[in-house]
């Protein structure tokens, strides 16, 4: 290097000539007066905060223009995009120099790229064809895993250091392959709404993530404390802790996509989540949206779960074979402790469905609420739709799609306990092992235009101070009564139809009341009746044909 000359604004524009080896005292704040120097030498100091040299003259400090900062070029780096500058950058960093002048600096060490955001200046680092500047990300950037970034977590950690502004957006692109031995992946990104993790959206089975966390309660993707990600899509997640259908190792509580404490995430429709205790779970004020098409298979407790004030939109999604037999668990869609879950069908081709789950397809409890318009619950171990402990389920018709409970082991629709409610307007129950629709123990159910057919017990039943109400419901071909009320319960409506049932069309007992205007009965094995102390009241009963 040549001698450095700095011009100071002193009368006559005096010049200071400093050789490179010259030691100049540096200060964050210049002293009021310099220390004594050798006769004939003007005191010189460096102002850290202003990046200026100052000379003492005329009883004051006189400062230069800002000095040119040292850059990686001073250590031999070449910004031509072709010369390997790795060694030069490491040498510069060792001296605290991390400024990139204009140019593209090729590196062969991933650690240098990972450290990009500790640099400054207009230059870029280039690694395996990816060239990125040290400033804010203001356009689209794709980070490929594993060809450039070795792991998903390393790409997320890189994004966590970045400033993403304007039209900036980052895609972490997972290349086709099997990713084994993964631990929980936890995004911690301030700009999470500008980052997505994408695999193969056309064939999610080509990007397989096998998680094997220590213990059995690890998650796939875990979001905590308000962290978020814009979108996850195009991959298959396999958990651990699952032993066989309905059998789980101890302490298996992890989730495939698990959002806690005000976190947010969008789960794309090309996601397949297998053998996590919870498939997708939103908890404690978090908000998760699943696009139509997400499939969760072989969960333990719940496939789609909204808990403790969490909200989950899972319209058009599918839950298959959730079960933990020893604990009596296994639910397709569940909202509890004030959680809210939308599990309605999205379209005729994208229906919400829960099949072969250990207990129930759709389950609301402890103040949880589920919207399940047009949803289907089939072959579940007990109930299709179950509301207890002030849980609420809206299972109305969605357009031309009726909510349907088929071939479940017990009831198709079951509401139990005071404050529990199922709106089964236009719903269908067929082939279930007991009642099609049952309200019990103070619960209420709306059966307007509902249809119960081919169920092994009663079509519609209210027990123990429960209420069934609604017009134009039909009970056809059930193994018990068409409409049944017992133990201080009430059943009321207009134009209710009972036909082809194996027992009574309408039957009230034990101080219960059935009150129907325009009842329609035909081909029931036993005429409608009321036991002593109960009331069966028909008005405009012109169409009673047994």
């Amino acid at each position: 290097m040549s001698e450095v000359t700095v011009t100071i604004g002193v009368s006559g524009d005096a010049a200071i000539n400093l050789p490179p080896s010259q030691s100049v005292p540096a200060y964050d704040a210049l002293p009021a007066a310099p220390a004594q120097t050798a006769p004939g030498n003007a005191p010189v100091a460096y102002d850290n905060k202003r990046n200026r040299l100052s000379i003492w003259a005329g009883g004051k400090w006189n400062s230069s223009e800002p000095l040119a900062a040292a850059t990686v070029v001073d250590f031999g780096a070449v910004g031509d995009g072709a010369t390997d500058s790795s060694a030069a950058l490491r040498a510069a960093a060792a001296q605290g120099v991390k400024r990139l002048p204009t140019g593209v600096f090729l590196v062969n060490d991933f650690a240098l790229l990972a450290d990009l955001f500790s640099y400054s200046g207009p230059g870029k680092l280039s690694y395996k064809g990816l060239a990125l500047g040290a400033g804010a990300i203001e356009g689209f950037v794709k980070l490929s895993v594993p060809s450039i970034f070795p792991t998903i977590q390393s790409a997320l950690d890189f994004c966590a250091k970045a400033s993403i502004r304007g039209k900036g957006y980052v895609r972490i692109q997972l290349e086709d392959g099997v990713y084994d031995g993964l631990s929980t992946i936890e995004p911690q990104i301030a700009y999470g709404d500008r980052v997505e993790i994408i695999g193969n959206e056309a064939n999610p089975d080509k990007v397989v993530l096998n998680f094997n966390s220590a213990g059995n309660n690890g998650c796939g993707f875990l979001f905590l404390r308000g962290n978020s990600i814009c979108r996850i899509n195009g991959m298959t997640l396999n958990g651990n802790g699952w032993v066989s259908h309905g059998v789980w190792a101890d302490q298996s509580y992890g989730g495939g996509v698990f959002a806690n404490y005000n976190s947010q995430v969008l789960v794309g429709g090309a996601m397949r989540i297998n053998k996590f205790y919870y498939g997708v779970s939103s908890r404690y004020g978090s908000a998760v949206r699943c696009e139509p098409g997400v499939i969760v298979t072989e969960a333990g407790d719940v496939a789609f779960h909204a808990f403790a004030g969490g909200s989950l939109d899972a319209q058009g999604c599918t839950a298959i074979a959730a079960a933990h037999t020893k604990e009596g668990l296994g639910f397709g869609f569940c909202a509890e402790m004030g959680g809210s879950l939308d599990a309605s069908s999205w379209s005729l081709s994208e229906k919400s469905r829960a099949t072969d789950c250990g207990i129930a397809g759709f389950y609301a409890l402890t103040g949880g609420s589920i919207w399940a318009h047009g949803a289907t619950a089939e072959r579940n171990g007990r109930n299709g739709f179950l509301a207890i402990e002030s849980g609420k389920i809206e299972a109305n018709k969605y357009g031309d799609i009726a909510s349907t409970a088929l071939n479940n082991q017990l009831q198709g629709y079951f509401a139990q306990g005071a404050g529990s409610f199922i709106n089964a307007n236009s719903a269908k129950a067929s082939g279930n092992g007991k009642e099609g629709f049952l309200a019990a123990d103070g619960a209420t159910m709306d059966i307007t235009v509902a249809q119960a057919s081919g169920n092994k017990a009663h079509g519609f039943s209210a027990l123990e101070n429960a209420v069934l109400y609604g017009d134009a419901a039909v009970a056809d071909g059930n193994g018990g009564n068409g409409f049944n009320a017992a133990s201080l319960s009430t059943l009321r409506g207009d134009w209710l139809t009972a036909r082809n049932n194996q027992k009574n069309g309408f039957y009230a007992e034990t101080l219960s009341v059935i009150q129907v205007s325009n009842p329609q009965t035909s081909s029931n094995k036993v005429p409608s009746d009321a036991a002593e102390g109960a009331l069966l009241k028909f008005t405009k009963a012109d169409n009673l044909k047994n």
Side-chain angles (χ1 to χ4, degrees), residues 34-371:
Q36 294 295 320
T37 61
N41 291 334
V44 178
Y46 176 68
D47 185 336
N48 281 327
K49 290 187 176 179
R50 301 170 65 208
N51 187 30
R52 298 170 188 260
L53 279 176
S54 297
I55 185 172
W56 181 262
K60 64 179 182 178
W61 290 107
N62 300 271
S63 297
S64 70
E65 293 301 314
L67 301 178
T71 73
V72 296
V73 171
D74 296 325
F75 293 82
V78 180
D80 61 1
T83 302
D84 184 3
S85 296
S86 300
L89 264 67
R90 283 192 288 266
Q95 297 299 316
V97 175
K98 286 194 168 183
R99 182 169 178 79
L100 301 174
T102 299
V104 178
F105 297 87
L106 179 68
V107 296
N108 63 12
D109 184 353
F110 173 75
L112 291 171
L113 178 67
D115 196 35
L116 173 65
F117 297 112
S118 69
Y119 285 81
S120 63
K124 295 182 178 181
L125 294 185
S126 176
Y127 176 75
K128 292 186 177 181
L130 176 65
L132 293 174
I137 295 175
E138 297 186 352
F140 176 76
V141 172
K142 183 172 74 172
L143 309 180
S144 297
V145 177
S147 62
I148 296 179
F149 285 79
T151 65
I152 301 168
Q153 190 65 59
S154 67
L156 288 167
D157 293 344
F158 182 83
C159 293
K161 299 174 185 176
S163 174
I164 307 175
R165 299 200 300 247
K167 295 182 179 180
Y169 193 82
V170 177
R171 170 178 289 181
I172 298 173
Q173 182 68 57
L174 307 188
E175 295 153 352
D176 287 0
V178 177
Y179 299 72
D180 282 324
L182 298 179
S183 297
T184 298
I185 297 170
E186 184 179 349
Q188 300 185 51
I189 305 173
Y191 303 91
D193 60 335
R194 296 169 180 258
V195 177
E196 64 180 7
I197 307 171
I198 304 297
N200 189 322
E201 295 183 285
N203 295 291
D205 58 332
K206 291 188 176 182
V207 178
V208 178
L209 278 58
N210 293 323
F211 290 86
N212 189 24
S213 301
N216 300 310
N217 61 352
C219 294
F221 290 92
L222 175 63
F223 299 86
L224 296 173
R225 299 175 294 276
N227 289 312
S228 65
I229 206 82
C230 179
R231 192 164 179 258
I232 302 172
N233 199 31
M235 63 195 82
T236 297
L237 312 183
N238 294 322
N240 66 324
W242 183 91
V243 177
S244 61
H245 175 67
V247 180
W248 289 81
D250 291 340
Q251 303 300 312
S252 297
Y253 301 121
V257 177
F258 204 91
N260 254 341
Y261 306 114
N262 303 305
S263 297
Q264 301 85 38
V265 62
L266 171 61
V267 181
M271 288 292 291
R272 307 293 178 259
I273 302 173
N274 305 318
K275 300 175 181 176
F276 281 93
Y277 204 70
Y278 298 94
V280 179
S281 187
S282 178
R283 302 180 174 213
Y284 301 109
S286 295
V288 177
R289 183 184 174 225
C290 295
E291 294 176 339
V294 178
I295 300 174
V296 176
T297 303
E298 292 281 3
D301 187 356
V302 184
F304 296 89
H305 190 214
F307 178 80
S311 65
L312 174 58
D313 183 345
Q315 299 178 70
C317 295
T318 299
I320 301 172
H324 188 178
T325 305
K326 180 180 177 180
E327 298 295 331
L329 301 172
F331 306 95
F333 299 80
C334 174
E336 63 177 311
M337 295 293 291
S340 60
L341 193 163
D342 191 343
S344 301
S345 288
W346 185 257
S347 67
L348 281 169
S349 61
E350 296 171 310
K351 296 180 181 180
S352 292
R353 184 179 297 272
T355 63
D356 300 305
C357 297
I359 305 299
F362 299 82
Y363 181 40
L365 71 161
T366 55
S369 299
I370 296 179
W371 289 260

Side-chain angles (χ1 to χ4, degrees), residues 523-535:
S523 302
N524 300 293
K525 288 247 178 130
V526 183
S528 297
D529 198 3
E532 185 176 352
L535 173 66

Side-chain angles (χ1 to χ4, degrees), residues 312-473:
L312 174 58
D313 183 345
Q315 299 178 70
C317 295
T318 299
I320 301 172
H324 188 178
T325 305
K326 180 180 177 180
E327 298 295 331
L329 301 172
F331 306 95
F333 299 80
C334 174
E336 63 177 311
M337 295 293 291
S340 60
L341 193 163
D342 191 343
S344 301
S345 288
W346 185 257
S347 67
L348 281 169
S349 61
E350 296 171 310
K351 296 180 181 180
S352 292
R353 184 179 297 272
T355 63
D356 300 305
C357 297
I359 305 299
F362 299 82
Y363 181 40
L365 71 161
T366 55
S369 299
I370 296 179
W371 289 260
H373 306 304
T376 295
E378 186 172 8
R379 299 189 306 273
N380 296 291
R382 294 184 187 175
N383 314 106
F385 298 78
L386 174 62
I388 67 172
E389 299 174 7
S390 298
K392 295 175 174 58
I393 299 177
E394 295 282 340
N396 295 4
K397 194 174 184 180
Y398 176 77
D400 293 327
I401 309 171
S403 293
T404 305
L406 297 171
N407 303 316
N408 299 286
Q409 292 295 308
L410 300 181
Q411 294 82 15
Y413 300 80
F414 182 25
Q416 183 180 38
S420 299
F421 173 74
I422 295 180
N423 184 347
N425 191 314
S426 302
K428 297 179 179 180
S430 179
N432 297 289
K434 288 196 172 181
E435 296 86 355
F437 299 81
L438 172 63
D441 303 312
T444 303
M445 190 180 298
D446 180 351
I447 58 170
T448 301
V449 200
Q451 299 178 39
S453 61
N455 301 289
K456 289 184 170 58
H458 310 308
F460 299 87
S461 185
L463 300 177
E464 302 293 345
N465 201 33
V467 175
L468 291 179
Y469 69 91
D471 302 335

Side-chain angles (χ1 to χ4, degrees), residues 531-542:
E532 185 176 352
L535 173 66
L536 176 62
K537 183 177 181 181
F538 290 154
T539 58
K540 302 179 182 178
D542 300 327

